[in-house]
Amino acid sequence: MSGAPFRIAVLASGAGSNLQAILDTLHEGPEGVVVAAVASDKPDARALERAQAVGLPTASFPLADHPDRAARDAALADWVAGHDVRLVVLAGYMALLTPAFLQRFPQAIVNVHPALLPAFPGLDAVGQALAHGVKVFGVTVHFVDEGVDTGPIILQRALELPHARTREDVLGELHAVEHELLPAAIRLIARGAVTLDPADPRRVRLEP
Ligand code: GAR
């Protein structure tokens, strides 16, 4: 790899298996991607332990420590920006980011969502899909805008599970797809292969 490392921050609220996939397949690898910082809204998130285990700077920003969401997100944005990152990756970050946070990192925040958007945005996407009786599940990686899981789509992959009845029937295979798709999207962005179509900014162009 030549040139400066492509530094990213990861925000995660939970177990951090997607963070782990990024650490295992991308961090300090030949593509030049470096996870520079990991933050959470939950001080006890397992994701923070995974980051600390490899010596990364971590911080938590629980809402209860701040007057409101805007103040929490301002502190979070300052901390993230202080690590000089070019991309913010939401890997199971379950708090909605405020517009002021989004404006600090324009077109530089991506999210992984466990459904084929625009189907089943928001919380418990897999539960929503099961309740709907779908036979095809999936994963979406998209840019983050002010809506709930509404930003331009970078990568999607479908997962046919026609007999799935419970979350357990879905989650193992779905996570495996996430663990490939999210690093793949970050790799493409780091390589400069992802642009918004100026004629239609909803459409994400991927260089072959
Ligand atoms: C992942 O399945 C991710 O898609 C989902 O949270 C999980 C986090 O798992 N995110 C959302 O639902 C966001 N709307 P992890 O903590 O093991 O990476």
Side-chain angles (χ1 to χ4, degrees):
M1 172 270 154
S2 60
F6 188 85
R7 293 166 61 84
I8 69 173
V10 177
L11 308 187
S13 301
S17 72
N18 279 283
L19 167 66
Q20 193 66 55
I22 295 166
L23 292 173
D24 292 345
T25 64
L26 271 185
H27 179 55
E28 294 182 339
E31 292 101 340
V33 174
V34 167
V35 179
V38 176
S40 184
D41 55 330
K42 305 268 187 254
D44 57 353
R46 167 99 174 87
L48 295 175
E49 292 172 28
R50 293 180 191 265
Q52 287 155 7
V54 291
L56 296 178
T58 63
S60 61
F61 297 85
L63 190 52
D65 288 359
H66 302 271
D68 54 26
R69 284 177 55 227
R72 185 266 297 279
D73 280 9
L76 174 61
D78 285 345
W79 189 82
V80 168
H83 288 87
D84 191 25
V85 299
R86 292 164 65 185
L87 183 70
V88 179
V89 176
L90 310 188
Y93 186 68
M94 303 309 281
L96 201 57
L97 291 165
T98 49
F101 186 99
L102 303 181
Q103 283 153 21
R104 293 280 293 274
F105 307 96
Q107 289 172 29
I109 308 174
V110 297
N111 178 48
V112 60
H113 185 72
L116 291 174
L117 293 170
F120 313 124
L123 294 176
D124 192 19
V126 172
Q128 293 182 56
L130 284 165
H132 202 84
V134 305
K135 306 215 182 300
V136 182
F137 296 78
V139 173
T140 304
V141 181
H142 62 95
F143 284 113
V144 175
D145 66 9
E146 293 191 12
V148 176
D149 301 321
T150 52
I153 290 168
I154 303 166
L155 292 177
Q156 286 187 303
R157 193 179 297 167
L159 180 61
E160 289 193 35
L161 294 171
H163 307 296
R165 293 286 178 275
T166 67
R167 285 176 182 76
E168 291 66 41
D169 294 340
V170 179
L171 286 176
E173 285 189 60
L174 192 99
H175 277 138
V177 172
E178 291 186 331
H179 297 166
E180 279 184 28
L181 213 63
L182 182 58
I186 297 167
R187 197 177 284 120
L188 285 169
I189 293 168
R191 202 195 291 158
V194 178
T195 49
L196 292 183
D197 183 344
D200 178 3
R202 273 254 26 123
R203 200 166 295 280
V204 173
R205 292 194 300 203
L206 304 178
E207 247 176 51

